[in-house]
Amino acid sequence: MLRDAIRTIPDYPKPGIQFRDITTLLGDARAFRAAVDQLVQPWAGQRIDKVAGIEARGFILGGAIAHQLSAGFIPVRKKGKLPHETVRLAYSLEYGVDEMEVHRDAVRPGERVILVDDLIATGGTATAAIGLLRAIGAEVLAACFVIDLPELGGAARIATLGVPVRTLVEFEGH
Ligand code: AMP
């Protein structure tokens, strides 16, 4: 059911990429709720201090998950968007590099944080986000995604960092 709610756009944003579009899932009340419920479920009854979401689709899912867990929310943003003092980390994209940031005071030392994004591909984005969260003192309990593209190896890469990965739907290919 979640899988059916995700739309695939061939050759977007460039030839060869199958873009997994979650706007259709977000627009479907039952699917949106089911995705959030399934991502929240492992944490029921556990103390989660904060949910960190990766800009921009991770904000939508992460905000809903944080609310459900009675946790705070931390935005992990592209560089230059956060107004207060930040820590910044470069990460590689398919072509070139980019940088992301969090506010230096977004967690207190040892706070228990879960990371959320819509999709994990190579894992480069999530690796950088975990690095930032650890740099500001967070204990990163898990990284959670609606979609996994296992052929790109991202979930395995995150697991090697000692962070358990949870995903809901797998798609073949890129
Ligand atoms: P990566 O750093 O390679 O794991 O890429 C993950 C980030 O890129 C996530 O924020 C995704 O939203 C986006 N992304 C990568 N590949 C796709 C895809 N095939 N469809 C939709 N979003 C993607």
Side-chain angles (χ1 to χ4, degrees):
M1 177 245 194
L2 282 184
R3 169 181 294 273
D4 298 335
I6 297 161
R7 174 164 61 191
T8 297
I9 316 279
D11 299 319
Y12 181 89
K14 53 183 199 281
I17 303 290
Q18 304 257 76
F19 191 84
R20 308 300 179 178
D21 173 21
I22 65 153
T23 64
T24 42
L25 181 150
L26 298 173
D28 175 337
R30 290 183 59 186
F32 185 20
R33 189 184 178 105
V36 171
D37 283 349
Q38 287 178 42
L39 290 172
V40 162
Q41 188 269 328
W43 311 106
Q46 295 195 49
R47 192 191 99 225
I48 303 295
D49 296 304
K50 285 176 180 146
V51 175
I54 299 175
E55 185 173 2
R57 282 163 276 168
F59 289 1
I60 302 161
L61 294 160
I65 291 166
H67 174 78
Q68 196 90 332
L69 291 171
S70 300
F73 179 79
I74 303 170
V76 180
R77 298 209 65 176
K78 315 254 164 66
K79 68 165 184 279
K81 307 264 191 174
L82 289 168
H84 195 55
E85 195 187 335
T86 61
V87 287
R88 186 180 285 194
L89 200 61
Y91 65 107
S92 45
L93 300 166
E94 211 166 342
Y95 300 106
V97 294
D98 208 345
E99 289 174 278
M100 64 168 68
E101 296 182 327
V102 289
H103 275 146
R104 190 174 287 283
D105 62 0
V107 296
R108 285 190 292 277
E111 279 194 318
R112 293 158 55 88
V113 175
I114 60 173
L115 177 68
V116 175
D117 201 3
D118 65 327
L119 178 147
I120 182 158
T122 65
T125 309
T127 298
I130 290 164
L132 284 174
L133 292 166
R134 285 178 164 172
I136 61 171
E139 182 190 346
V140 184
L141 295 184
C144 311
F145 308 86
V146 175
I147 301 165
D148 184 18
L149 306 183
E151 286 171 40
L152 294 179
R157 181 175 171 191
I158 299 306
T160 66
L161 300 175
V163 175
V165 180
R166 176 162 165 84
T167 63
L168 303 182
V169 179
E170 292 186 359
F171 285 100
E172 286 181 4
H174 291 220

